[in-house]
Amino acid sequence: MVTVLERLNRLVWGAPALLGILGVGAYLSIRTGFVQLRLFPQALKEFFGRLRSKPSQEGTVSPFQALCTALAATVGTGNLAGVAGAIAIGGPGAIFWMWICALLGMATKFAEATLAVRYREKNSAGEYVGGPMYTICRGMGQRWRFLATAYSFFGVVAAFGVGNATQINAVVSGVNEMLISFGGEETRGGNLLMGILLAVMVSIMLLGGMRRIGRIAEMLVPAASLGYLILGCGVLMARWDCVGDAFRAIVAGAFCPRAVTGGAVGSAFAALRIGVSRGVFTNEAGMGTASIAHASAQVSHPAEQGLMGIVEVFLDTIVICTMTALVILVSGVPIPYGVDAGIALTTRAFVSVYGSWVSMWIAGALCCFAVATVIGWGLYGARCAQFLFGADVFRKFVLLQAITVVVGAILKTGTVWLLSETVNGLMAIPNLIALAVLAPEVCRLTRDYVKTGRSREKTLENCGFDLTKPT
């Protein structure tokens, strides 16, 4: 199975896929006048201005809660374990291509969030629902519904893999790594107990719907992210003399990985492929998943929430992923090139500076990130399942998610990581097609937002948007 999945991954994440993701990101950047740079100061202003904003309507969440929900699904094990794996398999140069992917991904995520609000609708529970499946059906027409169906199917599969089993397995691995460092040992019974406890927690949070998920994400994600960044800054301060060498290794490794890895990674395309695939895995730009959360935000203009998409990619990849990469590269711990080292490499890097006690903190941060990812992806999978099978499938989906949590805690999921990367690539195809086709609408909304002085009083209805048309 591993051999088959590796071959399938090379096909899915080959040159066509990489050109598709980077190409659409570049196309949207050019069409919008590099909105990710032009409106970046405004995006940060909106972000800090909405830290304490609360929703004033039923069935909605604040823009900040929507952003935190999207970040909950993106800021996860990919930022800790995924970055370490990218460096080990693709060399330090993979991080450079993660940066390029993020720069173009900011425009992609802006377009995704903007279109999600533009084409969202209300469900029977009074909640705003949206995402690529609604964007495709309402923006491109019903004859393209097969793309929406394909996207939703891949989304349901991914919710159990990339959004659940791999996250839970990383939590269990992190906790066991901590126990071993203190003289303990890993047991199947302990893994099962952790799985059951996590399954109960996840079920309670998901059953509360978008409002509860938004409130939990608003508390969990900023606290865990800030604590992780403070700890990372401590490592960089302790090894400040190595930071310059780390950046040089990242840049040099992007074009000549053999010179940095000693021949273990000899292909520049390998660094590019791993960097882009892990970049998409961490920030999900091009997959369209985060737009499902952004669609629930209470905003006065679609592009207003698009700005939160720009901030999302910036925080996830440029800030948190870069911090993980620098910590690993300046720590001096040996990097097992050619092997996906995962969270163990990240933990060893922190331990080399702080001592074994920090493994407990890393395990705690990993638990927070992973649980946040599971509930974020649980929402995404539920919305995809509801699009396919109707609103009544929600509780059944949550039950299956809880079962998958337990399974992910007791089984090794190396093959699930490979399957997750494959499904990520397949999810991107319908979404990228929709983004390319609807690029003129993104440009129109961007111009309208800038032209109106970013007015919060201008509502969706008087902008000429039909919110009543059924899917």
Side-chain angles (χ1 to χ4, degrees), residues 309-389:
I310 295 175
V311 174
E312 179 191 339
V313 177
F314 175 78
L315 293 176
D316 176 85
T317 304
I318 303 300
V319 177
I320 300 178
C321 286
T322 300
M323 179 63 72
T324 301
L326 292 177
V327 166
I328 292 172
L329 294 175
V330 305
S331 66
V333 299
I335 300 173
Y337 289 116
V339 179
D340 193 343
I343 190 62
L345 177 58
T346 306
T347 301
R348 287 198 297 270
F350 279 98
V351 168
S352 69
V353 174
Y354 290 107
S356 59
W357 69 267
V358 81
S359 61
M360 184 179 297
W361 197 97
I362 294 296
L366 185 64
C367 285
C368 291
F369 286 143
V371 169
T373 300
V374 172
I375 63 173
W377 264 94
L379 172 69
Y380 298 165
R383 291 287 190 251
C384 289
Q386 288 176 313
F387 182 84
L388 292 173
F389 307 111

XYZ file of all heavy atoms in Angstrom, residues 309-389:
599
model
N -8.429 35.886 5.064
C -7.748 34.785 4.389
C -6.273 35.077 4.185
O -5.416 34.195 4.315
N -5.953 36.331 3.851
C -4.553 36.737 3.702
C -3.811 36.583 5.024
O -2.706 36.029 5.085
C -4.464 38.191 3.205
C -5.046 38.316 1.792
C -3.030 38.703 3.245
C -5.116 39.737 1.270
N -4.428 37.062 6.101
C -3.803 36.969 7.425
C -3.630 35.512 7.839
O -2.607 35.138 8.452
C -4.659 37.726 8.469
C -4.114 37.512 9.876
C -4.700 39.213 8.148
N -4.596 34.686 7.494
C -4.541 33.270 7.866
C -3.281 32.591 7.322
O -2.548 31.925 8.056
C -5.787 32.565 7.341
C -5.815 31.081 7.649
C -6.919 30.368 6.897
O -7.887 31.040 6.457
O -6.812 29.144 6.735
N -3.018 32.767 6.036
C -1.842 32.142 5.424
C -0.562 32.735 5.999
O 0.409 32.018 6.259
C -1.867 32.310 3.893
C -0.614 31.720 3.265
C -3.107 31.636 3.312
N -0.546 34.037 6.216
C 0.632 34.692 6.769
C 0.975 34.124 8.144
O 2.133 33.769 8.410
C 0.391 36.202 6.871
C 1.508 36.951 7.542
C 2.672 37.243 6.864
C 1.388 37.363 8.868
C 3.717 37.924 7.490
C 2.408 38.052 9.500
C 3.573 38.331 8.808
N -0.010 34.018 9.032
C 0.241 33.515 10.378
C 0.642 32.046 10.354
O 1.559 31.625 11.079
C -1.005 33.709 11.251
C -1.406 35.146 11.565
C -2.700 35.160 12.354
C -0.308 35.865 12.335
N -0.028 31.268 9.526
C 0.211 29.826 9.514
C 1.597 29.483 8.975
O 2.356 28.759 9.621
C -0.862 29.130 8.676
C -0.617 27.637 8.557
O -1.044 26.911 9.467
O 0.007 27.206 7.565
N 1.926 29.979 7.795
C 3.150 29.549 7.120
C 4.331 30.484 7.377
O 5.412 30.040 7.780
C 2.916 29.428 5.603
O 1.819 28.535 5.378
C 4.141 28.890 4.905
N 4.127 31.778 7.117
C 5.248 32.714 7.239
C 5.706 32.845 8.688
O 6.904 32.998 8.956
C 4.866 34.097 6.675
C 4.409 33.976 5.220
C 6.035 35.062 6.785
C 5.450 33.404 4.284
N 4.781 32.765 9.635
C 5.151 32.946 11.041
C 5.429 31.609 11.735
O 6.555 31.328 12.160
C 4.047 33.727 11.801
C 4.406 33.842 13.285
C 3.875 35.119 11.203
N 4.403 30.746 11.843
C 4.537 29.544 12.673
C 5.425 28.487 12.012
O 6.305 27.914 12.658
C 3.154 28.978 13.018
C 2.332 30.016 13.798
C 3.285 27.696 13.849
C 0.934 29.576 14.148
N 5.202 28.202 10.726
C 6.038 27.202 10.053
C 7.499 27.641 9.987
O 8.413 26.825 10.169
C 5.513 26.937 8.638
S 3.996 25.963 8.588
N 7.729 28.917 9.728
C 9.097 29.418 9.694
C 9.764 29.285 11.052
O 10.950 28.941 11.148
C 9.116 30.884 9.232
O 8.555 30.970 7.919
C 10.540 31.434 9.213
N 9.014 29.534 12.107
C 9.561 29.382 13.453
C 10.012 27.942 13.690
O 11.110 27.688 14.200
C 8.523 29.784 14.499
C 8.990 29.627 15.935
S 10.404 30.696 16.327
C 9.590 32.298 16.374
N 9.165 26.968 13.312
C 9.537 25.563 13.485
C 10.795 25.227 12.699
O 11.710 24.566 13.204
C 8.385 24.645 13.031
O 7.213 24.923 13.795
C 8.755 23.181 13.208
N 10.854 25.679 11.444
C 12.012 25.389 10.596
C 13.289 25.963 11.183
O 14.332 25.282 11.243
C 11.774 25.945 9.190
N 13.252 27.210 11.632
C 14.444 27.848 12.193
C 14.889 27.162 13.479
O 16.097 26.992 13.717
C 14.179 29.333 12.445
C 13.997 30.211 11.200
C 13.665 31.643 11.596
C 15.253 30.185 10.320
N 13.938 26.777 14.312
C 14.282 26.081 15.560
C 15.044 24.792 15.250
O 16.064 24.476 15.887
C 13.012 25.790 16.383
C 13.307 24.780 17.490
C 12.456 27.073 16.987
N 14.564 24.033 14.255
C 15.225 22.775 13.894
C 16.617 23.034 13.342
O 17.591 22.362 13.710
C 14.365 22.004 12.869
C 13.072 21.513 13.530
C 15.141 20.823 12.284
C 12.073 20.922 12.563
N 16.731 24.024 12.463
C 18.001 24.266 11.778
C 19.070 24.885 12.676
O 20.259 24.662 12.474
C 17.768 25.155 10.551
C 16.932 24.519 9.431
C 16.657 25.526 8.328
C 17.633 23.288 8.862
N 18.666 25.691 13.674
C 19.663 26.316 14.552
C 19.983 25.455 15.770
O 20.958 25.718 16.471
C 19.204 27.713 15.038
C 18.851 28.603 13.862
C 18.042 27.626 16.028
N 19.178 24.439 16.034
C 19.346 23.646 17.258
C 20.611 22.805 17.240
O 21.153 22.457 18.297
C 18.134 22.734 17.460
O 18.063 21.759 16.426
N 21.059 22.419 16.039
C 22.251 21.585 15.938
C 21.978 20.097 16.036
O 22.913 19.290 15.957
N 20.727 19.684 16.212
C 20.413 18.253 16.272
C 20.585 17.651 14.882
O 20.311 18.304 13.869
C 18.976 18.013 16.783
C 18.810 18.561 18.185
C 17.944 18.632 15.855
N 21.056 16.406 14.781
C 21.230 15.779 13.463
C 19.886 15.554 12.778
O 18.924 15.109 13.403
C 21.916 14.450 13.787
C 21.604 14.189 15.227
C 21.497 15.523 15.876
N 19.824 15.878 11.491
C 18.599 15.712 10.716
C 18.714 14.437 9.882
O 19.637 14.308 9.069
C 18.367 16.923 9.791
C 18.234 18.203 10.618
C 17.113 16.715 8.928
C 18.165 19.475 9.789
N 17.813 13.472 10.077
C 17.873 12.205 9.330
C 17.323 12.376 7.913
O 16.174 12.009 7.636
C 17.002 11.266 10.166
C 15.991 12.166 10.801
C 16.701 13.478 11.052
N 18.121 12.931 7.018
C 17.653 13.201 5.666
C 17.214 11.907 4.976
O 17.857 10.870 5.098
C 18.744 13.876 4.840
C 19.021 15.305 5.265
C 20.259 15.666 5.776
C 18.038 16.279 5.160
C 20.524 16.975 6.167
C 18.284 17.584 5.553
C 19.521 17.929 6.051
O 19.772 19.221 6.447
N 16.104 12.026 4.275
C 15.549 10.874 3.578
C 14.500 10.136 4.373
O 13.833 9.235 3.857
N 14.313 10.510 5.643
C 13.328 9.861 6.515
C 12.399 10.922 7.073
O 12.860 11.970 7.538
C 14.012 9.115 7.682
C 12.968 8.467 8.596
C 14.969 8.071 7.146
N 11.088 10.654 7.043
C 10.116 11.610 7.589
C 10.180 11.553 9.109
O 9.538 10.713 9.746
C 8.712 11.280 7.081
C 7.719 12.410 7.351
O 8.033 13.282 8.189
O 6.654 12.431 6.723
N 10.980 12.448 9.706
C 11.240 12.393 11.142
C 10.038 12.794 11.984
O 9.866 12.339 13.111
C 12.428 13.287 11.476
N 9.189 13.701 11.460
C 7.978 14.081 12.165
C 8.223 14.853 13.442
O 9.236 15.547 13.610
N 7.290 14.701 14.388
C 7.304 15.505 15.609
C 8.526 15.205 16.471
O 8.971 16.059 17.244
C 6.002 15.258 16.417
C 5.879 16.259 17.563
C 5.945 13.824 16.925
C 5.795 17.705 17.115
N 9.119 14.003 16.348
C 10.284 13.655 17.160
C 11.435 14.615 16.892
O 12.156 15.018 17.823
C 10.703 12.215 16.880
N 11.643 15.005 15.640
C 12.721 15.930 15.292
C 12.473 17.305 15.899
O 13.394 17.932 16.452
C 12.858 16.029 13.773
C 13.911 17.013 13.238
C 15.297 16.663 13.769
C 13.901 17.031 11.710
N 11.236 17.786 15.819
C 10.896 19.088 16.405
C 11.109 19.079 17.911
O 11.660 20.024 18.489
C 9.437 19.454 16.090
O 9.226 19.390 14.678
C 9.094 20.837 16.589
N 10.678 18.001 18.557
C 10.832 17.901 20.008
C 12.300 17.886 20.407
O 12.712 18.579 21.348
C 10.145 16.621 20.530
O 8.759 16.646 20.180
C 10.275 16.522 22.041
N 13.131 17.106 19.677
C 14.564 17.053 19.995
C 15.217 18.428 19.839
O 16.139 18.782 20.589
C 15.259 16.028 19.111
C 14.952 14.585 19.461
C 15.982 13.647 18.860
N 15.979 13.700 17.404
C 15.238 12.935 16.625
N 14.403 12.044 17.172
N 15.305 13.023 15.302
N 14.747 19.200 18.852
C 15.315 20.527 18.641
C 15.055 21.424 19.850
O 15.961 22.145 20.313
C 14.720 21.151 17.382
N 13.853 21.417 20.383
C 13.540 22.222 21.566
C 14.267 21.694 22.802
O 14.758 22.473 23.627
C 12.027 22.242 21.811
C 11.279 23.235 20.967
C 10.631 22.835 19.807
C 11.217 24.570 21.326
C 9.944 23.748 19.020
C 10.535 25.494 20.553
C 9.896 25.076 19.389
N 14.329 20.364 22.937
C 14.987 19.766 24.104
C 16.466 20.120 24.146
O 17.044 20.307 25.225
C 14.789 18.233 24.089
C 15.700 17.555 25.120
C 13.335 17.882 24.377
N 17.101 20.265 22.975
C 18.532 20.579 22.929
C 18.849 21.921 23.569
O 19.984 22.161 23.983
C 19.017 20.567 21.472
O 18.470 21.671 20.752
N 17.854 22.787 23.654
C 18.057 24.120 24.242
C 17.477 24.200 25.649
O 18.128 24.703 26.578
C 17.427 25.214 23.352
C 17.512 26.584 24.038
C 18.121 25.259 21.998
N 16.265 23.698 25.834
C 15.575 23.869 27.117
C 15.748 22.693 28.078
O 15.539 22.836 29.279
C 14.072 24.069 26.874
C 13.728 25.387 26.246
C 13.338 25.457 24.916
C 13.766 26.572 26.975
C 12.998 26.666 24.319
C 13.433 27.787 26.400
C 13.041 27.826 25.065
O 12.715 29.025 24.482
N 16.069 21.524 27.567
C 16.117 20.341 28.414
C 14.863 19.503 28.253
O 13.901 19.893 27.576
N 14.831 18.341 28.904
C 13.752 17.372 28.691
C 12.389 17.869 29.150
O 11.364 17.389 28.659
C 14.083 16.063 29.410
O 14.246 16.288 30.802
N 12.350 18.843 30.067
C 11.052 19.306 30.558
C 10.197 19.900 29.453
O 8.955 19.864 29.513
C 11.233 20.348 31.670
C 11.802 21.657 31.189
C 13.099 22.025 31.162
C 11.070 22.769 30.633
N 13.251 23.289 30.638
C 12.025 23.772 30.303
C 9.718 23.016 30.386
C 11.655 24.992 29.745
C 9.350 24.227 29.829
C 10.310 25.201 29.506
N 10.846 20.457 28.419
C 10.091 21.144 27.379
C 9.278 20.172 26.536
O 8.321 20.578 25.875
C 11.046 21.962 26.489
C 11.734 21.073 25.438
C 10.299 23.092 25.789
N 9.648 18.881 26.562
C 8.874 17.907 25.792
C 7.431 17.845 26.281
O 6.511 17.595 25.496
C 9.514 16.523 25.882
O 9.554 16.066 27.221
N 7.237 18.091 27.581
C 5.879 18.119 28.118
C 5.102 19.297 27.539
O 3.930 19.160 27.165
C 5.918 18.215 29.648
C 4.544 18.161 30.314
S 4.651 18.238 32.121
C 5.557 16.730 32.452
N 5.765 20.443 27.415
C 5.087 21.610 26.862
C 4.796 21.408 25.386
O 3.716 21.768 24.904
C 5.958 22.855 27.046
C 5.177 24.123 26.893
C 4.650 24.888 27.887
C 4.810 24.752 25.656
N 3.976 25.958 27.354
C 4.048 25.903 25.988
C 5.029 24.473 24.324
C 3.527 26.760 25.028
C 4.514 25.319 23.359
C 3.777 26.440 23.724
N 5.747 20.820 24.642
C 5.533 20.558 23.217
C 4.360 19.606 23.029
O 3.522 19.793 22.139
C 6.805 19.969 22.574
C 7.936 20.997 22.586
C 6.526 19.525 21.138
C 7.658 22.234 21.764
N 4.292 18.583 23.878
C 3.172 17.643 23.790
C 1.847 18.360 24.049
O 0.842 18.104 23.384
C 3.359 16.502 24.789
N 1.850 19.285 25.026
C 0.627 20.042 25.307
C 0.230 20.933 24.152
O -0.947 21.007 23.785
N 1.216 21.627 23.558
C 0.933 22.482 22.406
C 0.424 21.658 21.235
O -0.512 22.048 20.535
C 2.191 23.257 22.004
N 1.048 20.495 21.032
C 0.617 19.617 19.948
C -0.811 19.147 20.153
O -1.602 19.085 19.204
C 1.566 18.418 19.854
C 1.330 17.454 18.689
C 1.576 18.166 17.368
C 2.223 16.238 18.812
N -1.151 18.832 21.403
C -2.530 18.423 21.704
C -3.512 19.535 21.366
O -4.554 19.300 20.759
C -2.664 18.045 23.179
S -1.940 16.457 23.610
N -3.185 20.769 21.763
C -4.072 21.901 21.477
C -4.231 22.111 19.982
O -5.346 22.266 19.473
C -3.521 23.169 22.133
S -3.589 23.188 23.928
N -3.110 22.111 19.256
C -3.162 22.305 17.813
C -3.947 21.190 17.132
O -4.767 21.432 16.248
C -1.745 22.367 17.232
C -1.014 23.642 17.513
C 0.346 23.639 17.768
C -1.682 24.859 17.518
C 1.034 24.822 18.019
C -1.006 26.053 17.768
C 0.347 26.026 18.017
N -3.670 19.951 17.539
C -4.301 18.818 16.870
C -5.798 18.758 17.150
O -6.596 18.496 16.247
C -3.628 17.516 17.303
N -6.195 18.993 18.400
C -7.627 18.996 18.722
C -8.335 20.114 17.969
O -9.447 19.931 17.449
C -7.837 19.134 20.245
C -9.304 19.399 20.565
C -7.374 17.871 20.962
N -7.689 21.280 17.896
C -8.272 22.384 17.141
C -8.429 22.002 15.669
O -9.443 22.322 15.029
C -7.393 23.629 17.268
N -7.420 21.302 15.119
C -7.506 20.873 13.725
C -8.640 19.886 13.523
O -9.368 19.942 12.529
C -6.174 20.229 13.282
O -5.139 21.203 13.416
C -6.241 19.767 11.839
N -8.803 18.965 14.467
C -9.858 17.953 14.338
C -11.243 18.598 14.336
O -12.108 18.232 13.535
C -9.746 16.904 15.463
C -10.953 15.976 15.454
C -8.476 16.088 15.296
N -11.471 19.582 15.218
C -12.796 20.203 15.241
C -13.001 21.085 14.014
O -14.107 21.171 13.472
C -13.042 20.992 16.548
C -12.056 22.150 16.696
C -13.004 20.078 17.748
C -12.372 23.065 17.878
N -11.917 21.746 13.548
C -12.041 22.546 12.333
C -12.355 21.680 11.134
O -13.273 21.967 10.355
N -11.599 20.603 10.978
C -11.846 19.692 9.868
C -13.149 18.917 10.055
O -13.775 18.481 9.083
C -10.672 18.729 9.703
C -9.705 19.203 8.672
C -8.576 19.932 8.865
C -9.800 18.988 7.263
N -7.952 20.183 7.672
C -8.679 19.617 6.675
C -10.711 18.331 6.448
C -8.455 19.600 5.297
C -10.485 18.311 5.079
C -9.368 18.944 4.524
N -13.536 18.710 11.311
C -14.834 18.081 11.551
C -15.961 18.918 10.975
O -16.918 18.396 10.376
N -15.842 20.246 11.149
C -16.830 21.146 10.552
C -16.789 21.054 9.030
O -17.839 20.963 8.381
C -16.544 22.584 10.989
C -17.370 23.671 10.288
C -18.830 23.580 10.717
C -16.805 25.060 10.583
N -15.577 21.054 8.444
C -15.462 20.987 6.990
C -16.085 19.698 6.451
O -16.858 19.707 5.484
C -13.992 21.035 6.561
C -13.254 22.287 6.938
C -11.863 22.329 6.890
C -13.919 23.434 7.350
C -11.167 23.473 7.221
C -13.237 24.577 7.682
C -11.846 24.595 7.635
O -11.165 25.729 7.970
N -15.730 18.574 7.092
C -16.268 17.295 6.641
C -17.773 17.216 6.783
O -18.468 16.664 5.917
N -18.286 17.780 7.881
C -19.733 17.771 8.099
C -20.463 18.585 7.032
O -21.506 18.168 6.517
C -20.054 18.319 9.484
N -19.913 19.757 6.686
C -20.528 20.581 5.642
C -20.503 19.852 4.290
O -21.475 19.903 3.528
C -19.793 21.912 5.538
C -19.983 22.831 6.742
C -21.370 23.434 6.756
N -21.490 24.475 7.755
C -22.179 24.377 8.881
N -22.822 23.242 9.152
N -22.246 25.380 9.733
N -19.398 19.168 3.994
C -19.321 18.412 2.737
C -20.317 17.262 2.746
O -20.976 16.990 1.735
C -17.897 17.888 2.535
S -16.669 19.156 2.145
N -20.418 16.570 3.887
C -21.366 15.459 3.992
C -22.811 15.952 3.874
O -23.649 15.301 3.229
C -21.164 14.725 5.318
N -23.101 17.105 4.493
C -24.451 17.664 4.394
C -24.780 18.075 2.971
O -25.924 17.954 2.529
C -24.589 18.845 5.355
C -24.641 18.444 6.812
C -24.673 19.638 7.747
O -23.886 20.583 7.603
N -25.571 19.619 8.711
N -23.796 18.575 2.238
C -24.019 18.935 0.843
C -24.364 17.698 0.028
O -25.207 17.751 -0.876
C -22.775 19.611 0.266
C -22.923 20.067 -1.159
C -23.502 21.295 -1.451
C -22.506 19.263 -2.206
C -23.647 21.714 -2.768
C -22.642 19.680 -3.528
C -23.223 20.904 -3.802
N -23.734 16.570 0.347
C -23.967 15.342 -0.405
C -25.232 14.619 0.020
O -25.994 14.127 -0.828
C -22.767 14.392 -0.239
C -21.443 14.801 -0.873
C -20.348 13.832 -0.462
C -21.567 14.863 -2.389
N -25.473 14.554 1.331
C -26.518 13.670 1.848
C -27.637 14.376 2.605
O -28.583 13.726 3.040
C -25.896 12.611 2.769
C -24.765 11.854 2.143
C -23.465 12.028 2.599
C -24.995 10.992 1.089
C -22.409 11.335 2.025
C -23.949 10.285 0.503
C -22.655 10.462 0.974
